[in-house]
Amino acid sequence: MEKLDLSQLDNEEKALEIRYVIAKYIRYWPWYVLFITLFLILTFLFHRYTVDEYEVSGSMMIKTNTSPEARILDRSNIFSTGINLENDILRLKSKGLAREALKKLHFDVEYYAKTNIKAIELYDRSPIRVEVDWSHIQMEGVPVQLEILSANTFRLAKEEVGFMDFNSAVAAGDESIYDKTYEFGEPIETARSKFTVHLVNPGRTNEQVVFRLRNPNALEDSYAKSVQVNLQNEYSSVLRLSTTTTVVEKGRDYINALMESYIGFDLNEKNKIQENTLAFIEDQLGLLEDSLQQKERELQDFKVRNKLLDVSAEFSNILGKMNTLDEMNAEIDYQLDYFEQIRAYMVQKSKDFSDVIAPSVIGIPDPLLNGLIQTLVTLSQDRRKLLATVNENHPEVIKIDVQMEKVQDALFENVVNLIENTKQRKASIQQDIRVYDAEFATLPESESEYSGIFREFKLRESLYTYLLEKRAEAGIAMASNVSDNAILDAARRGTLIFPKKQQNYGLAIVLGFLLPFGFVVVRDIFDETIKDQRDLKKHFMIPQLGIVGYSLKETNKVVLDFPKSAVAESFRSLRSAITYLASGKQTKMILVTSSVSGEGKTFTSLNLASAMALSSKKTVVVGGDLRRPKLASYFGETDRVGLSTYLIGKIEAEEIVMPSTHENLWFVPSGVIPPNPAELLQTPRLTEFLDYLQSRFDVVVFDTPPMGLVSETIDLMRLFDINLYVVRQNYTVKDHLVMINDLFNNKQVKNVYGVFNGIVNSGYHYEGYNYGYGNTYLYSQNNKYMYNYYGDDLENKKKKIKKSQRNIFEKLGKLFKVK
C-alpha cells in the first residue's frame, strides 16, 4: 500500500487557505478602488496647493592642522588626531557671517507671481527690481501688488486676499502709496516708505507682480538659523552646508555667498599680519627718508664748499670697515627696538597679538623666536574667531588661553635673553667704532669731516634700500596670499524634500487600500455571526447536509412558484441527501429547528416539503412552533385551528390536516398560541398525532421552535428520523451553536444534520462554481451548465447586477462632478 504523504496534504491545505482569504476580501474591490481614487485625488490637490521645498547644499574644506610648537606646549594635544571643527561650524552659522553673505545678495525684497493657487517666488525671474533705503522707516512684511502699465509707468495696489489664503494676521500697509501711478526709476517716499522701482524686463507689460520688503536684521536671524553645517565624513575636514528653500536658485546663491564670505573672512585674518608689517615699514621709511635727504644735502654742500670730488684711496679701507660697523650697529638698534616691542607686549599680558610682526618678516633670522610668535599669532586668531560665536567662559576659549599663557612665558624668556645678547653685541661693535674713530683723528680735517658725512649717508641709504626691499616683499606676499580653506563643491542643484510626491502617491494607494481592508478585517473580527462555509466548519461540529442559497423572490414558496430557480435546485439537492439517509424508512420523519428565530427554519420546512411533494410523495408540513406561528400565513390561511387545538383535545387530527393548492402537499397550522406550549408538545397526544401522520403520508416535515430559546425541541428530536439544524449566513451567532455541538458530542441527540441557509457568497471561487463542504456542491450562477436550466433566474440576476453597477457609476459621477 502506498504511503500517504501528509506534508503534501498540508501544503494543499495552506494553499487552499490562502486562496480562501484572497477570495474573501477581494470581493470588496469596488471599495478599494473608490478609496484609492479618493486618496489619489486628495494627494494631487495637496501637491497642487503646497509650495515645494528643496534642500540645496555645498561643501568646503577647512584647514585643521595645528603648529608643532602649540602641540609641544599643550601636552594634551601631542598625540591627539581628532578633528574638531566646532569653531568653524559655529562661525558658519553665526549672524555676522550671514550679514556678510547677505550684503552680496538682494534678498531684502521678495517677488511673487500673482496667482490664486499658491505662492510662487520669482527671485531672479522678476521683471522688476525694488531698491530700498533702509535708513528710512519701511513697511516690512506687507505684500504690495504692482501692475506694469507700460515700459515707463506702473501702478501700486493693496494685494487682494485669495480664496485659499487663511492668514488674516498681516501688518497694515502704507495706504498712501496705493491706487497711484508711478514712473520707473522715480523715488517713492512717504512717512512709512522710501524705495525706487526699476523695470528689468520691458517686454513684460500688463503683468502683475507682488513684492514684499524684508528687514535685513530679520533676514540675518532667519538665514543664520536656516543653515545646517555637518561633517561630510567622520575622518575628514570637509563641511557640508545645506539650507531649505522654496527657490533653488535663491538657496544656491546664499550657500555659495556664505562659503565665499567665510573664505574672505579667513583671508582677511591672514592679511592682517601683512598689513601690520607694511604699516611698520612705512613708518620706518618715513623717518629714515627725512634723515637720508638731510645727509644727502650735507654731503653735496660739503663737496661744493671744499671743491672735493673724491677721498684719498689710502683711507678707503678704514672707511669701508667703519661703514660696515655702522650698518651692523644700526641693524642691532633695529632688532633691539623690535625686541623691546615684543617684551612690552609680554608685560601687558594681552590676548590679542594681531599687531605683532613676525621676526622673519623684518629680517631677524631666529627660528625659535619666529616659531613662538607665529604660534602665538595663530592662537590669537583662533581665539578671536571663536569669540565671534561664544563667550570667554567657553571650554575651547579657556583651552586656547592656557596654550597662549604657555607660549607667552616661553616667548618672554626668549626675548629677555635676546635683548641681553643684542646689547652685548652692540657694546662690542661700538668699541670697534671708537677704535676706528681714533684712527680717523689723524686724517686731515676736511677729509675727516667728509668721511664722517659720507659714512652716515651710506648707512641711511643702505637701511632705506633694505626697507624698500622688505616693503616690496610684504606687498608681494599680501597680493599672493590665499586662504587655507577652499570651496570643494559649490551649490548647484536642489533636492525636493517636501512634499515627497512619489512617496505620497504610494502612501495614498496604500492607505486607500488599507482603510477599507482594515475596516472589513476589524468588522469580521468583531462580527460573531457565521460568515461562510469555512467559518461554519470551524464552529459547527454537525455534518452539513445541504446549502440553500439566498432567495430574492417575494414569496416564501420558492420551490412551488419558481421551480427553475437556483434556490429550488438547492432544496432538490437536500431532498436527495435526505432520501439517501432515510432510504430504509417507509415514512420519512424530518424535524427542522435552529438556534434562534429568523434563521429560516419555517422557510426551509415549507420548501423542503414542497420539493418532496414535487417528487410524487405525499408530504405534510407541520407548524410545530406554537409560540410564533408562521406556516399558515405562507399558505394564506389563519391559525384558528391547528396543532395546539388538537393537543388540548378540542379537535381531531383529521380536522387540522389541510390540503394545499398543490398536489401531494398538505400542511398543519400551528393553531392559537397556547399559554403552555412546552407542556403541550410533551403530551402523549403529540405522539399519537405523529403516528397518525406517519400512517398516512410518505414524508412528514415538522417545524419546531428554535432550540436555543426553548427546551422542548430537544425532546422532540428523539422522535424523528432526521433532524435538520438550520444555520443562516451573516445571521447565526457562533456562540449559539455551542449547545447543539455539546449535545451532538455527548450523543444526547442523533441523526442531526446541518443546513446552511441564506447563502450569498458560499466561499471561494473556482472557474465558475463555488465549492462548499461535506458532500454538497452549490453551483454559482455563472456556471455555463446552468444557463439553460435556470435561465429566468439568471436573467433577473443579471439585470439587477447591471442596474446596481449603473447606480454605482452614477453616484461616483455625482461625487466627482466638477461644478
Side-chain angles (χ1 to χ4, degrees):
M1 182 176 179
E2 187 179 355
K3 187 177 180 181
L4 181 62
D5 189 356
L6 296 179
S7 62
Q8 184 177 358
L9 293 177
D10 228 10
N11 294 334
E12 291 179 358
E13 181 66 23
K14 291 179 180 178
L16 197 64
E17 183 71 23
I18 293 173
R19 289 195 291 268
Y20 162 72
V21 173
I22 294 175
K24 180 179 179 181
Y25 293 106
I26 200 65
R27 58 196 177 100
Y28 298 102
W29 67 265
W31 289 104
Y32 305 149
V33 173
L34 175 63
F35 272 82
I36 290 174
T37 304
L38 179 61
F39 274 92
L40 287 176
I41 292 174
L42 292 177
T43 304
F44 171 77
L45 294 177
F46 173 74
H47 293 162
R48 187 77 173 88
Y49 291 95
T50 301
V51 179
D52 296 342
E53 293 183 4
Y54 299 87
E55 183 185 55
V56 182
S57 63
S59 60
M60 61 186 307
M61 184 176 293
I62 306 297
K63 178 184 176 182
T64 58
N65 61 311
T66 307
S67 61
E69 294 82 1
R71 296 188 64 186
I72 292 173
L73 292 169
D74 184 11
R75 295 183 179 180
S76 63
N77 258 352
I78 293 178
F79 303 104
S80 175
T81 59
I83 298 174
N84 184 7
L85 298 175
E86 291 296 327
N87 299 341
D88 302 278
I89 292 175
L90 292 174
R91 181 62 188 171
L92 285 166
K93 298 175 68 173
S94 65
K95 296 180 182 178
L97 200 64
R99 184 185 309 112
E100 295 299 323
L102 290 171
K103 287 180 181 178
K104 304 175 183 179
L105 305 168
H106 182 60
F107 284 3
D108 55 344
V109 183
E110 296 176 346
Y111 308 93
Y112 296 90
K114 181 62 178 177
T115 174
N116 293 324
I117 300 176
K118 59 183 176 181
I120 301 177
E121 187 173 355
L122 298 175
Y123 186 49
D124 53 358
R125 298 179 307 237
S126 173
I128 63 170
R129 187 179 186 275
V130 180
E131 183 179 344
V132 187
D133 183 3
W134 287 107
S135 62
H136 191 278
I137 299 176
Q138 301 291 347
M139 50 172 186
E140 303 170 10
V142 181
V144 180
Q145 181 175 318
L146 183 147
E147 181 181 1
I148 304 175
L149 301 177
S150 65
N152 299 319
T153 60
F154 63 92
R155 184 180 182 85
L156 296 180
K158 188 175 182 179
E159 187 193 20
E160 298 178 359
V161 179
F163 176 74
M164 299 298 294
D165 190 358
F166 301 103
N167 184 19
S168 58
V170 178
D174 189 356
E175 300 290 342
S176 60
I177 66 173
Y178 295 147
D179 300 326
K180 294 180 181 180
T181 302
Y182 303 92
E183 292 185 0
F184 288 107
E186 172 190 357
I188 300 174
E189 183 175 359
T190 64
R192 297 188 55 192
S193 305
K194 186 177 181 181
F195 57 89
T196 305
V197 181
H198 301 279
L199 182 62
V200 179
N201 190 349
R204 296 174 63 176
T205 57
N206 299 324
E207 288 192 15
Q208 292 182 348
V209 180
V210 178
F211 68 89
R212 181 171 56 185
L213 307 185
R214 295 288 305 274
N215 188 287
N217 295 328
L219 280 176
E220 293 172 12
D221 295 340
S222 175
Y223 278 90
K225 295 177 182 178
S226 68
V227 174
Q228 299 295 324
V229 184
N230 300 293
L231 270 173
Q232 187 82 20
N233 186 284
E234 184 179 358
Y235 302 102
S236 70
S237 61
V238 177
L239 294 178
R240 179 179 181 270
L241 288 74
S242 62
T243 186
T244 301
T245 178
T246 58
V247 182
V248 176
E249 295 80 3
K250 194 172 185 178
R252 175 200 63 196
D253 293 346
Y254 178 73
I255 292 295
N256 292 336
L258 186 66
M259 292 191 293
E260 292 172 0
S261 298
Y262 184 82
I263 291 177
F265 169 79
D266 182 63
L267 188 59
N268 290 335
E269 290 293 321
K270 294 184 66 176
N271 286 336
K272 279 187 177 181
I273 298 176
Q274 305 298 338
E275 292 173 357
N276 294 335
T277 303
L278 287 174
F280 176 79
I281 293 175
E282 290 292 343
D283 292 340
Q284 296 295 323
L285 282 174
L287 297 174
L288 190 60
E289 187 176 5
D290 295 338
S291 177
L292 180 62
Q293 291 177 355
Q294 180 182 357
K295 290 300 177 181
E296 187 177 9
R297 286 193 298 267
E298 289 180 6
L299 185 63
Q300 291 177 354
D301 293 340
F302 182 84
K303 287 183 178 182
V304 172
R305 186 173 63 251
N306 295 281
K307 298 181 180 180
L308 184 64
L309 299 178
D310 196 2
V311 187
S312 176
E314 61 182 280
F315 300 106
S316 59
N317 187 27
I318 298 176
L319 184 61
K321 291 181 179 180
M322 293 187 67
N323 288 335
T324 302
L325 290 174
D326 286 336
E327 290 177 1
M328 293 175 62
N329 187 55
E331 185 176 352
I332 288 175
D333 289 337
Y334 184 65
Q335 294 179 2
L336 193 60
D337 182 54
Y338 174 75
F339 295 149
E340 291 293 345
Q341 289 185 12
I342 297 298
R343 185 170 65 175
Y345 263 100
M346 297 300 102
V347 172
Q348 293 175 3
K349 290 288 183 179
S350 173
K351 300 296 182 182
D352 185 6
F353 291 86
S354 59
D355 294 334
V356 177
I357 303 171
S360 60
V361 176
I362 58 176
I364 299 178
D366 192 317
L368 180 59
L369 179 65
N370 186 72
L372 291 172
I373 290 178
Q374 188 63 39
T375 301
L376 197 61
V377 171
T378 302
L379 291 173
S380 176
Q381 290 177 351
D382 293 342
R383 186 178 188 273
R384 191 165 59 255
K385 290 180 183 179
L386 193 59
L387 289 177
T389 54
V390 299
N391 55 31
E392 294 189 353
N393 296 325
H394 194 273
E396 290 293 330
V397 178
I398 296 174
K399 181 179 178 181
I400 293 177
D401 289 343
V402 172
Q403 295 180 17
M404 291 181 65
E405 288 180 2
K406 295 178 181 179
V407 177
Q408 281 179 323
D409 294 339
L411 181 61
F412 185 80
E413 183 179 356
N414 185 266
V415 169
V416 170
N417 294 332
L418 286 174
I419 290 175
E420 293 298 326
N421 294 335
T422 305
K423 286 182 178 179
Q424 292 177 5
R425 289 177 56 202
K426 182 177 181 180
S428 176
I429 291 174
Q430 287 179 346
Q431 179 63 32
D432 293 339
I433 291 175
R434 284 194 293 270
V435 171
Y436 284 109
D437 282 340
E439 293 182 10
F440 259 86
T442 61
L443 294 175
E445 183 179 355
S446 58
E447 292 182 357
S448 177
E449 182 180 358
Y450 174 79
S451 298
I453 297 173
F454 182 73
R455 185 182 59 186
E456 292 181 3
F457 170 76
K458 294 298 290 183
L459 173 63
R460 284 163 175 76
E461 185 182 36
S462 61
L463 287 176
Y464 188 79
T465 303
Y466 174 77
L467 290 176
L468 287 177
E469 292 176 356
K470 289 300 178 183
R471 184 177 69 175
E473 291 175 1
I476 293 172
M478 183 175 178
S480 60
N481 206 6
V482 294
S483 174
D484 294 325
N485 307 321
I487 296 177
L488 195 62
D489 289 318
R492 298 182 184 277
R493 303 176 61 183
T495 303
L496 181 66
I497 60 173
F498 179 82
K500 298 283 188 179
K501 296 186 177 180
Q502 293 183 352
Q503 179 178 332
N504 291 344
Y505 280 120
L507 185 62
I509 294 174
V510 173
L511 287 178
F513 172 77
L514 288 181
L515 280 180
F517 178 77
F519 174 80
V520 173
V521 171
V522 172
R523 185 200 65 180
D524 289 347
I525 291 174
F526 290 97
D527 190 357
E528 292 297 324
T529 60
I530 299 296
K531 308 303 296 182
D532 50 39
Q533 295 178 14
R534 294 178 69 91
D535 208 7
L536 180 64
K537 184 180 181 181
K538 292 178 182 178
H539 299 88
F540 198 47
M541 306 303 177
I542 299 171
Q544 185 175 338
L545 193 62
I547 299 175
V548 179
Y550 183 79
S551 176
L552 299 174
K553 310 303 179 182
E554 296 180 357
T555 178
N556 290 309
K557 298 187 292 182
V558 180
V559 175
L560 297 176
D561 296 342
F562 298 95
K564 292 184 178 182
S565 64
V567 176
E569 178 61 21
S570 63
F571 280 105
R572 292 190 185 93
S573 299
L574 181 60
R575 179 188 64 190
S576 300
I578 292 173
T579 302
Y580 173 77
L581 291 174
S583 58
K585 302 290 183 179
Q586 183 176 359
T587 301
K588 297 173 178 56
M589 303 292 291
I590 305 170
L591 180 142
V592 181
T593 186
S594 64
S595 301
V596 294
S597 178
E599 292 176 319
K601 58 182 182 54
T602 305
F603 173 80
T604 303
S605 301
L606 172 61
N607 287 282
L608 177 59
S610 301
M612 292 291 185
L614 290 177
S615 63
S616 302
K617 293 182 179 180
K618 294 182 62 176
T619 305
V620 61
V621 55
V622 181
D625 189 353
L626 303 184
R627 289 176 174 81
R628 298 183 63 183
K630 294 181 181 178
L631 185 62
S633 62
Y634 292 171
F635 287 96
E637 298 292 337
T638 62
D639 289 296
R640 291 176 299 174
V641 294
L643 183 60
S644 62
T645 312
Y646 168 78
L647 293 176
I648 62 177
K650 290 186 178 181
I651 198 171
E652 296 300 326
E654 295 84 357
E655 299 180 45
I656 62 173
V657 179
M658 302 179 182
S660 68
T661 57
H662 299 275
E663 186 179 1
N664 297 324
L665 181 61
W666 283 260
F667 69 96
V668 177
S670 300
V672 180
I673 299 175
N676 55 344
E679 288 74 11
L680 288 179
L681 290 176
Q682 293 179 0
T683 60
R685 285 184 65 84
L686 178 63
T687 306
E688 295 174 2
F689 181 68
L690 293 178
D691 292 337
Y692 170 79
L693 296 178
Q694 189 172 5
S695 63
R696 287 169 174 76
F697 293 95
D698 298 326
V699 178
V700 177
V701 180
F702 198 90
D703 178 27
T704 64
M707 185 176 179
L709 301 178
V710 298
S711 59
E712 63 268 20
T713 305
I714 299 176
D715 297 329
L716 292 175
M717 294 177 70
R718 299 186 179 96
L719 304 177
F720 290 83
D721 301 326
I722 295 176
N723 299 296
L724 299 181
Y725 197 95
V726 179
V727 178
R728 183 175 177 181
Q729 186 182 30
N730 298 325
Y731 189 89
T732 301
V733 180
K734 299 172 185 176
D735 293 341
H736 292 171
L737 302 177
V738 175
M739 178 185 293
I740 188 63
N741 287 334
D742 291 341
L743 293 174
F744 180 77
N745 291 333
N746 296 329
K747 299 182 180 180
Q748 297 183 29
V749 292
K750 298 180 180 180
N751 301 326
V752 182
Y753 301 93
V755 176
F756 200 14
N757 181 38
I759 300 297
V760 177
N761 180 20
S762 59
Y764 48 89
H765 307 274
Y766 281 107
E767 298 179 359
Y769 48 93
N770 301 338
Y771 284 104
Y773 294 94
N775 300 321
T776 305
Y777 297 93
L778 173 65
Y779 288 86
S780 67
Q781 296 175 2
N782 60 344
N783 192 319
K784 61 183 180 179
Y785 300 108
M786 296 176 64
Y787 285 163
N788 296 330
Y789 192 77
Y790 305 113
D792 297 339
D793 199 22
L794 287 175
E795 290 300 324
N796 294 332
K797 185 71 173 179
K798 290 178 181 179
K799 291 180 181 178
K800 291 182 179 180
I801 293 175
K802 291 180 179 179
K803 184 177 180 181
S804 63
Q805 290 176 345
R806 286 197 302 268
N807 292 336
I808 291 175
F809 287 117
E810 288 176 1
K811 291 178 180 179
L812 291 176
K814 292 180 181 179
L815 180 62
F816 301 109
K817 184 177 181 181
V818 181
K819 297 183 179 180

